[in-house]
Amino acid sequence: MNTVTDVFGSMVFNDSVMRARLPKDVFKQVQRSINEGKRLDSAAATVVANAMKDWAIEKGATHFTHWFQPMTGITAEKHDSFISPVDGGKVIMEFSGKELIQGEPDASSFPSGGLRATFEARGYTAWDPTSYAFIKDGVLCIPTAFCSYGGEALDKKTPLLRSMEAINRQGMRVIRLFGNTDVTSIKTTVGPEQEYFLIDKSVYEKRKDLMYTGRTLFGAKPPKGQELEDHYFGTIKPRVAAFMKELNEELWKLGVLAKTEHNEVAPAQHELAPIFTTTNIATDHNQLTMEIMQKVAKKHDMVCLLHEKPFAGVNGSGKHNNWSMTTNTGVNLLDPGDTPYENAQFLLFLCAVIQAVDDYQDMLRISVASAGNDHRLGANEAPPAVMSMFLGTELESILSAIEKDEPYGGKEKELIKVGVHVLPKFPKDNTDRNRTSPFAFTGNKFEFRMLGSAASISGANVVLNTAVAESLRQYADILENSNDFENDLHELIKSVIAKHKRIIFNGNGYDDAWIEEAERRGLLNLKSTPDCVPYYLAEKNVELFTRHKIYTPVELHSRYEIKLDGYCKVLHIEALTMLDMVWKDILPAVSAYSKKLADTALAKKSLSDSIDCSFETELAAKISTLTAEAVKKTQALEYAVMDVKNYEDTLELARFYKDTVFAAMNELRIVVDELETHTSAEFWPYPSYGDILFSVK
Ligand code: ADP
Ligand code: MG
């Protein structure tokens, strides 16, 4: 096997493998369960399990696992071998239908946000036939959902699947209103663009902060960063190219559609974009991509950093979530189309997204919130913490003309009547220019750009799917009772534009003036995780998620707790790491360096009183002053960390971490970075920013 087409999907139990290996009727049953969510009966499950096992063993697998996505944001697996003892001290390889369909990992060590306190500790995993099984490192991995025995979702896949059902249900109601009878289902599609850093393993291993927290907690600015913009789309270095080649091959084997790769803005930063696919598969694939990136990097003596902000003063990493809706007949519902009919349908689905983003700004913000991503949102590199949408000037003018019943177009301006007139063309190229918008229309899809590089894309897509399903539900309720569809549709679209246009902004999202303007418009500006998380429990949000059966109030509450708890834990580890680095490495180093300076001055003086020792004495004095300052700041951080025990409520604790612990960390960093600037490289205990960022030659 050496051509890409041979390699692609070679480790995936996909449709063509199933067609070849399953009896026709079983194959059909599996297809039905993939497309319509129908449960497979146990006889069929046994047949599938057997075929899967034989296929996996032929590919060298010895174990199987239910592969799931607990609320830690990473994936989990527990390997079981296929062996089963038989007479004569021998074993046979077995895998039953029951083992395929359901597993029982111990749920007690995964975060549950209090779900375990109220319900049974046990959890079970259930096969998700919509995402293909695959072989990774000799293990047959079966994508599964993870629930408690009470049925509460303990993972990131269950709510995502539920949200896809919701948007299918409501979207189909709307599609039917347009007289569409051939469509039987609607799915959302996603193409997540993944950013990451690659650094040499040797420098990584010398940085406790990178090893414990994934980001640098100290580090003076290097003489050269990303100012020259000479890295973006630049030639790929041979070591990186070799990494990318192997990464692609590994991903292709698993059926991941890795498509484009290039250098990003910051030195050592890169990006991988796959071809889009169904949202839950894209989510599984993105998890695999992150895992395999890290594994392959190690093989090449490098480390792949997925943290949102590994380096201060250098661009952080995000994940652009390209999102659209598509019918099973292959129609992209966010493609404007050419006919009045297609245009009308497009406009209504577009309105559904506009309304969703406006009504659920808070939930979208929460979906991308984490301690790591807080460093990016609002900084001058990533979209601001304020939600807004970019539609492009053409499309916005068209919407405005519809809203105000004003003529639109070139020479022959005319009124646009939805469903009657063809929309004027708006060039796709015009729509992709704005890189500062958190949520941009790019011709036939939206690009949600606030996601952080390290997190699962599940949360953001759960919110998007559900919020859009809610807009569609409201539209279907109105239009299903209409006696004059065309007219009522036109009026509906007008009213949605009028009500929600405040969320549309085509200007520069990095501009301070926009933040003020956004406030005037009444848009939310939720700067940090503790600022936004309380909105989880806002009545309208609880109503949204319960109405569409995505989360029960208890499940929502558990997510609220987990988000805050995760935030506190990250800051706690960072604070302790800083203290460790300062006491154990940095203070001893600067102390030794000032001793060396003082010794040198003394030695010089002993040669002759007239020798000028001002360099040594002044620098030693400066370092001593800074050291005293650093000690004060370190103690302040220590006190702050001790005070965390005074808080019981998770929200109050998270606020304390942000306002006091994090503030103390920042103050300490300023002094330590100043010390680094003045300390001899020979004495400084860590590789510098320059050493790290340019470590891969
Ligand atoms: P660029 O970012 O260079 O403009 P594209 O816009 O073509 O490139 O694609 C960016 C990402 O968006 C890719 O991952 C692509 O697969 C994805 N994408 C394209 N069309 C859709 C769609 N209909 N739904 C979801 N993602 C899409
Ligand atoms: Mg893009």
Side-chain angles (χ1 to χ4, degrees):
M1 276 202 292
N2 34 31
T3 68
V4 174
T5 44
D6 281 342
V7 168
F8 191 84
S10 60
M11 289 297 176
V12 184
F13 195 72
N14 54 24
D15 277 358
S16 48
V17 179
M18 285 192 262
R19 198 188 301 273
R21 289 177 176 255
L22 295 175
K24 248 202 189 102
D25 58 317
V26 177
F27 176 72
K28 270 201 190 127
Q29 268 203 57
V30 176
Q31 290 301 307
R32 235 178 289 138
S33 86
I34 292 175
N35 297 325
E36 297 158 36
K38 295 233 161 64
R39 249 190 108 99
L40 216 56
D41 65 45
S42 67
T46 305
V47 177
V48 177
N50 247 315
M52 244 187 215
K53 178 203 68 186
D54 291 344
W55 168 82
I57 290 172
E58 280 167 35
K59 299 265 176 198
T62 51
H63 290 66
F64 70 93
T65 182
H66 276 199
W67 184 77
F68 58 105
Q69 305 176 22
M71 293 186 278
T72 50
I74 52 174
T75 56
E77 43 195 83
K78 182 189 118 206
H79 302 167
D80 281 303
S81 74
F82 291 121
I83 59 165
S84 174
V86 287
D87 285 348
K90 298 235 176 223
V91 293
I92 53 165
M93 302 297 256
E94 263 188 351
F95 182 48
S96 69
K98 192 167 166 283
E99 283 170 311
L100 166 65
I101 289 179
Q102 190 160 320
E104 288 192 35
D106 180 9
S108 60
S109 300
F110 294 107
S112 79
L115 282 176
R116 265 196 314 275
T118 20
F119 300 92
E120 271 196 272
R122 285 187 309 157
Y124 70 93
T125 49
W127 179 32
D128 166 20
T130 62
S131 184
Y132 299 133
F134 55 90
I135 298 171
K136 180 167 65 75
D137 301 327
V139 179
L140 169 66
C141 298
I142 297 144
T144 53
F146 181 39
C147 295
S148 77
Y149 263 90
E152 280 74 28
L154 290 172
D155 70 345
K156 289 182 175 277
K157 184 186 269 276
T158 308
L160 184 62
L161 292 173
R162 291 175 184 165
S163 76
M164 293 186 62
E165 270 171 44
I167 200 164
N168 177 47
R169 206 177 306 127
Q170 304 303 336
M172 282 306 298
R173 288 176 67 196
V174 169
I175 283 276
R176 291 278 180 259
L177 290 167
F178 284 87
N180 218 320
T181 48
D182 55 339
V183 176
T184 55
S185 67
I186 291 173
K187 281 188 174 134
T188 58
T189 50
V190 165
E193 302 166 51
Q194 176 75 45
E195 291 182 335
Y196 60 98
F197 280 83
L198 277 182
I199 62 172
D200 191 82
K201 193 166 126 236
S202 63
V203 287
Y204 172 84
E205 285 172 348
K206 292 187 188 120
R207 297 276 324 200
K208 288 180 186 167
D209 44 4
L210 283 176
M211 291 205 294
Y212 297 153
T213 74
R215 76 178 180 103
T216 53
L217 300 170
F218 299 110
K221 278 207 169 53
K224 177 180 180 324
Q226 63 192 49
E227 304 78 8
L228 299 179
E229 299 185 339
D230 51 357
H231 187 66
Y232 192 52
F233 279 37
T235 333
I236 296 173
K237 292 173 184 153
R239 257 182 96 185
V240 176
F243 158 86
M244 286 176 170
K245 182 169 180 284
E246 190 174 340
L247 174 64
N248 280 336
E249 282 165 8
E250 290 305 315
L251 291 175
W252 289 338
K253 282 186 205 164
L254 296 174
V256 177
L257 293 152
K259 168 90 172 161
T260 45
E261 55 200 16
H262 60 80
N263 290 349
E264 261 300 328
V265 178
Q269 194 184 27
H270 311 278
E271 183 189 288
L272 181 143
I275 298 172
F276 70 95
T277 180
T278 314
T279 304
N280 70 313
I281 294 170
T283 307
D284 287 359
H285 282 182
N286 182 250
Q287 296 295 126
L288 280 174
T289 301
M290 292 194 286
E291 180 185 326
I292 289 167
M293 274 179 169
Q294 289 171 302
K295 250 188 222 158
V296 174
K298 267 201 195 116
K299 282 180 70 180
H300 290 253
D301 285 327
M302 296 189 285
V303 174
C304 168
L305 302 176
L306 290 171
H307 193 283
E308 284 83 2
K309 192 75 183 173
F311 307 100
V314 172
N315 269 10
S317 300
K319 187 139 55 185
H320 291 174
N321 189 83
N322 295 274
W323 180 95
S324 190
M325 297 168 268
T326 180
T327 66
N328 64 311
T329 52
V331 178
N332 178 350
L333 294 167
L334 289 178
D335 193 306
D338 301 319
T339 64
Y341 162 85
E342 288 167 339
N343 287 170
Q345 188 172 289
F346 159 72
L347 281 172
L348 192 62
F349 279 93
L350 179 74
C351 280
V353 184
I354 296 173
Q355 177 177 340
V357 175
D358 187 26
D359 281 344
Y360 298 100
Q361 300 162 43
D362 46 0
M363 279 311 307
L364 286 167
R365 174 66 185 86
I366 290 170
S367 76
V368 299
S370 69
N373 214 18
D374 279 2
H375 296 289
R376 278 176 77 240
L377 297 178
N380 240 8
E381 58 180 88
V386 182
M387 234 9 252
S388 70
M389 292 172 96
F390 170 87
L391 294 182
T393 39
E394 292 288 333
L395 185 53
E396 195 189 359
S397 326
I398 294 168
L399 294 188
S400 165
I402 295 173
E403 181 207 346
K404 299 189 180 112
D405 280 326
E406 280 169 358
Y408 184 86
K411 269 191 209 120
E412 294 144 47
K413 287 189 173 192
E414 56 174 351
L415 287 176
I416 306 172
K417 180 87 184 144
V418 176
V420 178
H421 294 118
V422 177
L423 288 183
K425 277 268 166 250
F426 42 97
K428 179 179 188 252
D429 281 349
N430 257 353
T431 61
D432 204 17
R433 294 281 177 256
N434 189 318
R435 310 305 283 175
T436 64
S437 174
F439 204 94
F441 184 64
T442 51
N444 58 5
K445 64 184 187 294
F446 277 97
E447 187 165 330
F448 185 20
R449 300 186 175 130
M450 286 167 102
L451 286 79
S453 49
S456 158
I457 60 170
S458 164
N461 288 296
V462 168
V463 175
L464 259 174
N465 290 346
T466 312
V468 174
E470 173 57 19
S471 311
L472 294 170
R473 180 191 73 83
Q474 293 178 15
Y475 303 166
D477 280 356
I478 295 168
L479 295 173
E480 278 168 358
N481 293 314
S482 156
N483 296 320
D484 184 351
F485 180 72
E486 235 154 56
N487 194 54
D488 290 349
L489 174 67
H490 186 90
E491 290 307 312
L492 173 63
I493 289 175
K494 271 173 71 172
S495 75
V496 174
I497 299 167
K499 189 157 172 226
H500 298 286
K501 66 182 173 193
R502 64 171 188 167
I503 198 77
I504 299 166
F505 175 64
N506 288 326
N508 181 358
Y510 296 171
D511 208 340
D512 287 339
W514 160 238
I515 305 300
E516 287 162 32
E517 162 73 16
E519 246 159 60
R520 274 196 296 278
R521 293 190 190 185
L523 301 179
L524 293 167
N525 183 7
L526 304 169
K527 295 199 183 91
S528 71
T529 303
D531 291 336
C532 65
V533 173
Y535 288 83
Y536 244 129
L537 307 179
E539 211 178 302
K540 72 166 180 64
N541 295 333
V542 178
E543 210 175 285
L544 171 77
F545 289 112
T546 48
R547 182 197 294 276
H548 292 278
K549 303 195 165 45
I550 313 300
Y551 297 118
T552 62
V554 179
E555 286 173 337
L556 258 184
H557 202 270
S558 80
R559 266 100 193 137
Y560 161 92
E561 283 287 336
I562 287 172
K563 195 126 218 145
L564 289 172
D565 187 52
Y567 177 84
C568 296
K569 281 183 177 146
V570 167
L571 283 171
H572 196 75
I573 294 169
E574 290 184 348
L576 294 185
T577 304
M578 272 188 140
L579 292 171
D580 181 279
M581 292 170 81
V582 173
W583 288 128
K584 302 233 170 84
D585 303 327
I586 295 170
L587 292 175
V590 290
S591 174
Y593 184 47
S594 40
K595 176 173 185 301
K596 159 108 177 188
L597 291 167
D599 288 351
T600 310
L602 270 178
K604 280 185 173 178
K605 280 274 179 237
S606 72
L607 294 175
S608 151
D609 252 355
S610 61
I611 293 184
D612 183 352
C613 304
S614 55
F615 163 68
E616 286 83 3
T617 51
E618 279 166 28
L619 187 54
K622 179 162 185 112
I623 287 179
S624 302
T625 312
L626 284 170
T627 304
E629 187 68 16
V631 171
K632 254 197 265 161
K633 303 285 182 200
T634 309
Q635 283 164 341
L637 178 59
E638 260 175 355
Y639 288 131
V641 171
M642 279 193 277
D643 279 347
V644 300
K645 65 176 179 312
N646 300 334
Y647 297 86
E648 273 202 358
D649 178 77
T650 343
L651 179 59
E652 277 174 34
L653 181 63
R655 286 182 176 144
F656 178 78
Y657 269 109
K658 174 182 150 263
D659 295 333
T660 309
V661 177
F662 186 60
M665 285 165 57
N666 287 337
E667 286 200 18
L668 172 59
R669 175 172 185 154
I670 292 171
V671 189
V672 170
D673 288 357
E674 177 81 24
L675 269 170
E676 182 185 346
T677 323
H678 294 282
T679 301
S680 147
E682 193 195 323
F683 280 80
W684 194 255
Y686 304 116
S688 69
Y689 262 33
D691 297 336
I692 306 171
L693 286 167
F694 300 96
S695 61
V696 176
K697 304 283 181 327

